[in-house]
Amino acid sequence: MDTSFLSATILLILITDPLGNIPLFISALKQVKPERRRRVVFRECFIAFAVLLTFMFFGKGFLELMHLTDESLRVAGGVILFLIAIKMIFPGEGSMFGGDKMHGEPFIVPIAVPLIAGPSAMATVLLMSTREPERMLEWIGALTLTMLVTLLVFLFSGKIHRALGEQAITALERLMGLVLTAISIEMRLGGVAAYIKKLA
């Protein structure tokens, strides 16, 4: 599956799902003083960006160290995306990140990791950098743009939540989940096809 800068950016935005994460984000910041929330948003988005950037730069070395192939990563990434997409389409009761049980100011967990930089986002940036390392600047640009979108959504999360309402946000999340399901299937098919081609 050929990936352009635009499609990579859209994919990362779908995976990080800032709109769908608004209720979880608001819940995680309930115990934070209003004057501190902006600083927390900037800090957590920066940490998530640093984590994903680390995976992007050192992904190839990690794969070689663990003796993992590009094909296995593509299939594994597709499986993780599929599970995340199913969760988006059919959300269960409560927060999977324990946002309702948070006390005090969140640091790294659960906002930076795994709310923003979750397993699916890590697998995706790892896959981008290992498949086409010569386009690293494009992938960094796509990741930076994704983090800026996430930052803006979280900064205005309260206003967005009030303007759209719970039902509209849920509908958008399920739509994103549907698109993500198709992307995950494409990733798995591409991985299997590449593996079969290597055997032939």
Side-chain angles (χ1 to χ4, degrees), residues 8 15 32 59 65 74 76 83-84 87 114 124 127 144 155 185 190-191:
I15 291 168
V32 180
L65 180 67
R74 289 168 72 179
L83 293 175
I84 297 292
K87 183 71 177 177
T124 302
L127 185 60
T144 303
L155 284 174
I185 297 296

Side-chain angles (χ1 to χ4, degrees), residues 11-45:
L11 175 60
L12 287 171
I13 291 173
L14 285 171
I15 291 168
T16 52
D17 189 23
L19 280 176
N21 283 331
I22 284 177
L24 300 177
F25 175 75
I26 292 173
S27 175
L29 289 186
K30 275 182 181 177
Q31 305 297 324
V32 180
K33 294 178 181 179
E35 62 270 19
R36 284 278 305 167
R37 289 177 184 174
R38 182 175 291 269
R39 186 177 296 180
V40 170
V41 171
F42 275 97
R43 184 189 68 206
E44 297 302 302
C45 284

Side-chain angles (χ1 to χ4, degrees), residues 90-190:
F90 304 107
E93 291 295 323
S95 166
M96 68 176 122
F97 303 127
D100 295 335
K101 300 178 182 177
M102 281 292 299
H103 297 287
E105 183 175 298
F107 179 64
I108 301 178
V109 178
I111 297 176
V113 180
L115 202 61
I116 303 172
S120 53
M122 293 177 187
T124 302
V125 297
L126 195 61
L127 185 60
M128 286 177 179
S129 61
T130 52
R131 283 186 63 197
E132 297 179 277
E134 70 279 0
R135 299 175 63 189
M136 188 64 80
L137 285 178
E138 286 187 61
W139 307 146
I140 294 172
L143 179 60
T144 303
L145 192 55
T146 299
M147 287 297 106
L148 287 175
V149 170
T150 302
L151 177 67
L152 288 173
V153 169
F154 282 176
L155 284 174
F156 297 99
S157 58
K159 293 180 180 178
I160 294 171
H161 192 264
R162 286 192 295 271
L164 295 179
E166 196 71 46
Q167 288 186 331
I169 289 176
T170 301
L172 281 172
E173 185 177 16
R174 289 180 179 175
L175 180 61
M176 290 177 184
L178 184 62
V179 175
L180 208 55
T181 302
I183 293 172
S184 71
I185 297 296
E186 184 70 27
M187 282 180 68
R188 282 185 287 169
L189 288 175

